[in-house]
Amino acid sequence: MSLASGSRTRRRTQGGLKAPVENENSEGLKAPAGTKTRAELKVSEGPGTPAELSAPATGTPSASTEEPGAARPTATSRPRPHRAAILRRLLRAALTGATKSAAIVALLLAWELAPRFGLVDRTFLPPFSEVARAWWELVANGQLADNAEASLVRSFSGFGIAVVVSVPLGLLIGWYRPVADLLNPLLQVFLNTAALALLPVFVLLLGIGETSKISIVVYACAWPILFNTISAVRTVDPTLLRLAKSMNLSAPRLFQKVILPASVPTIFTGIRLAGAVSIVVLVAAEMIGAKAGLGYLINASQYNFAIPQMYAGIVTISVIGVAFNQLLVAVEKRLSSWRVPATS
């Protein structure tokens, strides 16, 4: 039964008395007396009259003003982060970046100002802006790319061979004590023999081609990796070893699950040292006999008295060394992610 039929029944039971005239809305529902329909509200609103002033003053919101699909706030919805918090976070990140780069910025600023104010001879130490201009010219004419490619191929080839040879050999020597006792005196002799001192020997035996340059890089990189790997195996935490042996692990399983993961940080210390050594030794080798490479570029610029180009080559070597070191640090973090970070 609808509300309209119910109201008619009440009128019949009241002894023929007429009930107040009720307005009927568009849905067929009878509105209370004294209220206006939606059409009457639109007519009653004059120009400039707000709609809320002519709306019925009832306790519940009107159906015409409330959208059925409107999203209502709930108690479980999380508020968005405040703009002040985001701003503080950005300022903190900017401050951290500025602190880390402050020393480099100070060095470049001193390099720029010292020649301009006559503190050093501008002929032998030009301002950094001139060096940057010369660096861009080398990039534009392709000389820097060609020489850097030649150096990187030699350096990475020798470095990779040294890693492949020295890490397994260091693990073997560190794991088996008799092998270490047998080879340790010979290894100490080679460790204390500078690689650049043997460069003429490599040139005499292997010629002035690529083989001698890669071989000298292999020789220079092998010893830091080898001795750090031996030290890493011998300095594994004895508590870890006792715990692993109490679980009746076999020797290969013990080496795979305990010795090798625990040795990663120390091994990568030697690898990072070898990465720096590979670039330094290669540049020295390229200065003696080479037709391409960053060492050749620096040496040729010195002979031609192109001092800005010489410094541009030195800066390029420094940038490559820093980038290579950061790459090794990222790989180390990836391989040693199991470690619990130290709390400050």
Side-chain angles (χ1 to χ4, degrees):
M1 178 183 295
S2 63
L3 294 178
S5 60
S7 60
R8 296 192 194 97
T9 305
R10 285 195 299 270
R11 283 201 298 270
R12 295 193 191 98
T13 57
Q14 289 178 359
L17 296 178
K18 291 185 179 180
V21 179
E22 297 174 349
N23 298 323
E24 186 173 356
N25 53 22
S26 59
E27 287 81 1
L29 300 178
K30 297 291 184 175
T35 60
K36 298 180 179 181
T37 62
R38 194 178 303 172
E40 293 172 341
L41 287 175
K42 293 182 180 180
V43 174
S44 62
E45 289 178 4
T49 304
E52 57 267 21
L53 295 180
S54 59
T58 58
T60 58
S62 175
S64 61
T65 60
E66 184 173 312
E67 299 179 3
R72 298 181 181 179
T74 59
T76 59
S77 60
R78 296 182 179 179
R80 294 183 178 179
H82 199 268
R83 292 183 179 180
I86 299 176
L87 183 59
R88 283 195 300 268
R89 203 172 304 164
L90 294 176
L91 291 176
R92 193 181 301 113
L95 181 61
T96 303
T99 303
K100 291 182 178 180
S101 59
I104 297 178
V105 173
L107 174 63
L108 297 179
L109 185 62
W111 187 354
E112 178 69 25
L113 296 179
R116 294 187 180 278
F117 286 98
L119 300 179
V120 294
D121 192 349
R122 186 166 181 167
T123 304
F124 303 109
L125 184 63
F128 178 73
S129 58
E130 296 183 8
V131 175
R133 192 179 306 113
W135 183 88
W136 181 252
E137 292 176 358
L138 291 174
V139 171
N141 57 31
Q143 294 185 32
L144 187 64
D146 295 339
N147 290 287
E149 181 182 1
S151 294
L152 290 177
V153 170
R154 296 164 183 161
S155 179
F156 287 166
S157 299
F159 175 79
I161 295 173
V163 171
V164 171
V165 173
S166 299
V167 171
L169 185 60
L171 293 173
L172 179 65
I173 295 174
W175 184 248
Y176 294 103
R177 180 71 64 173
V179 179
D181 295 337
L182 176 64
L183 298 179
N184 187 58
L186 181 62
L187 295 178
Q188 290 294 334
V189 171
F190 283 109
L191 175 64
N192 293 280
T193 303
L196 293 179
L198 296 176
L199 181 59
V201 178
F202 280 94
V203 173
L204 289 175
L205 295 177
L206 302 175
I208 60 174
E210 300 296 318
T211 306
S212 60
K213 296 177 181 59
I214 295 176
S215 299
I216 195 67
V217 173
V218 173
Y219 180 86
C221 295
W223 308 115
I225 301 174
L226 179 65
F227 281 94
N228 275 273
T229 305
I230 296 173
S231 176
V233 175
R234 291 183 178 178
T235 57
V236 175
D237 191 357
T239 305
L240 293 177
L241 295 177
R242 288 195 297 267
L243 182 61
K245 290 178 181 179
S246 66
M247 300 174 64
N248 296 325
L249 291 179
S250 61
R253 196 72 173 170
L254 176 65
F255 183 82
Q256 178 186 1
K257 294 296 183 181
V258 179
I259 301 297
L260 191 58
S263 304
V264 167
T266 308
I267 292 175
F268 263 89
T269 300
I271 291 177
R272 289 169 59 187
L273 291 174
V277 169
S278 66
I279 298 176
V280 173
V281 172
L282 177 64
V283 169
E286 289 175 344
M287 288 182 176
I288 293 178
K291 296 182 179 180
L294 293 175
Y296 167 78
L297 174 65
I298 294 172
N299 201 32
S301 300
Q302 179 192 7
Y303 283 140
N304 297 327
F305 211 72
I307 304 301
Q309 294 183 2
M310 181 189 73
Y311 282 105
I314 295 173
V315 170
T316 303
I317 293 174
S318 300
V319 172
I320 291 175
V322 171
F324 191 31
N325 181 72
Q326 293 300 317
L327 176 62
L328 294 177
V329 169
V331 175
E332 178 185 357
K333 290 181 179 179
R334 178 74 175 179
L335 295 179
S336 59
S337 58
W338 55 270
R339 300 174 62 193
V340 178
T343 57
S344 56

